[in-house]
Every structure is written in structure tokens, then in C-alpha cells.
Amino acid sequence: AQSVAQPEDQVNVAEGNPLTVKCTYSVSGNPYLFWYVQYPNRGLQFLLKYITGDNLVKGSYGFEAEFNKSQTSFHLKKPSALVSDSALYFCAVRDTPGNTGKLIFGQGTTLQVKP
Amino acid sequence: DGGITQSPKYLFRKEGQNVTLSCEQNLNHDAMYWYRQDPGQGLRLIYYSQIVNDFQKGDIAEGYSVSREKKESFPLTVTSAQKNPTAFYLCASSILAGGRDTQYFGPGTRLTVL
């Protein structure tokens, strides 16, 4: 069965420090991986995705993620955190084969950036 | 959130009532989805539709119903059979279902049972 794990409920970093939000996945085929961010009482905003090719994916707002097939991970990173990055982050995977478009979401990680 | 609208933003339901949540998109996407979000549980798929006049159950379809009469609209009805409907409901759409297409989300509707 396909699954996504975000092992940390909350990540705390100081403004200006690098941040990492962890994600591991389990799928039967080749994964399509996504990161979304959610601010309070808002919908999810798309940050970036990995489909194929370069393992380092760059996305919106200075975020990037590294696909590691051997470790089945897709960690979200940013070199220098901002207070405005504080939000709830979701990792999601869509497996292949499979044509339903169904995304499997992790439980989410709350990022708290302190000034 | 651009291109996908959900209404109302807040909805209150009495026990035994059916309520309908609206989702409209102007992105010309074929596929549309409904998710339910509960604290600490991520998002769970309720229903999805790959094309007009066709839809499939997701993981937690019991107590919900949908229709897809127009490409741009995918309303969700929360029926009285849904025992614990209080949640945040998110609608999404993508160009096509499956593959590498990104799902884009609306702003959500928060449903509370009184």
C-alpha cells in the first residue's frame, strides 16, 4: 500500500537558519512527489514536485527538495528561514501505475520560525 | 487558491440536515476532487471526478454525495448519514487525473455541526 510519513509533528528553527522538513514514502511503482503549504484557515498552496530527472527540485518562495530513491525520501529544505514561512507543510505522493490521480498525504508538519 | 472558489467559507449544520458545499473552477481542468481535513490526520479523499458525468468514491465516501453536471462545478453534499461531519473541506482540480499533473486547491469550507 502506498503511504507517506512525516516523522516530525513540529519543526522549530530560528529565522535565518536553514530548515528541513522530512518526508519518506512507500509506493509500488515510480513516485510522483509533491510538497504543499497551508496557512491557517486557508487552502493548500503548491510548492514543488518531483516527477523525473534531476533529484534536486526547486520551487516557490526559495524552497527546494531532494529526491533520494535509495532512502525513499523527499525532504523539503530552505537555506534561510523566514518568520513568514511558519505554516503547516504537507508531503504527498502519487504512485505509478495508477491513473486515478489520487494523492496520498502525510499528516503534516508544523514549521515554527522564531525571530 | 486562484481559479478555484469554494462557498461558503463557514457553514453550520444542525443534526439531521443535508448541506451542500460548492466548488467552482475556471481553470478548464478535467479532474476535480474533494478532500476532508481533520487535525493531525492530513487530507483524506472523499470523491473524485475525471470527467463530466462521472465520479468515483475515494477513501471515505460514506455519508457524502457528489455530482458533476458541468466541467467547472463539483458540489459536495454532506448528508445526515455522515456521523461526524465537522471538518475542513477542500476542493481541488487538475488538468487530468493521474500522472504528473499538479492538484490545485480552493480556499476551503469549514463545516461545523451544532
Side-chain angles (χ1 to χ4, degrees), chain A residues 63-74:
Chain A
F63 284 94
E64 58 188 28
E66 186 168 10
F67 172 66
N68 188 317
K69 188 173 183 178
S70 62
Q71 297 185 4
T72 61
S73 68
F74 189 56

Side-chain angles (χ1 to χ4, degrees), chain A residues 32 34 36 38 41-46 49 51-52 88 90 94 98-103 105-108, chain B residues 1 9 33 35 37 40-43 45 48 50 59 88 90 97-107 110:
Chain A
Y32 295 154
F34 301 79
Y36 289 86
Q38 184 181 35
N41 293 311
R42 300 287 298 275
L44 274 65
Q45 295 179 29
F46 169 70
K49 67 180 177 183
I51 302 300
T52 187
L88 182 59
F90 288 100
R94 179 187 294 136
N99 207 30
T100 66
K102 177 179 174 179
L103 279 176
F105 284 86
Q107 293 183 317
Chain B
D1 296 350
K9 186 173 183 178
Y33 313 82
Y35 292 90
Q37 183 179 16
Q41 294 192 45
L43 277 69
L45 183 65
Y48 64 98
Q50 297 174 293
D59 297 321
F88 191 49
L90 290 160
R100 58 191 65 193
D101 292 327
T102 300
Q103 290 185 19
Y104 295 95
F105 286 78
R110 186 166 298 281

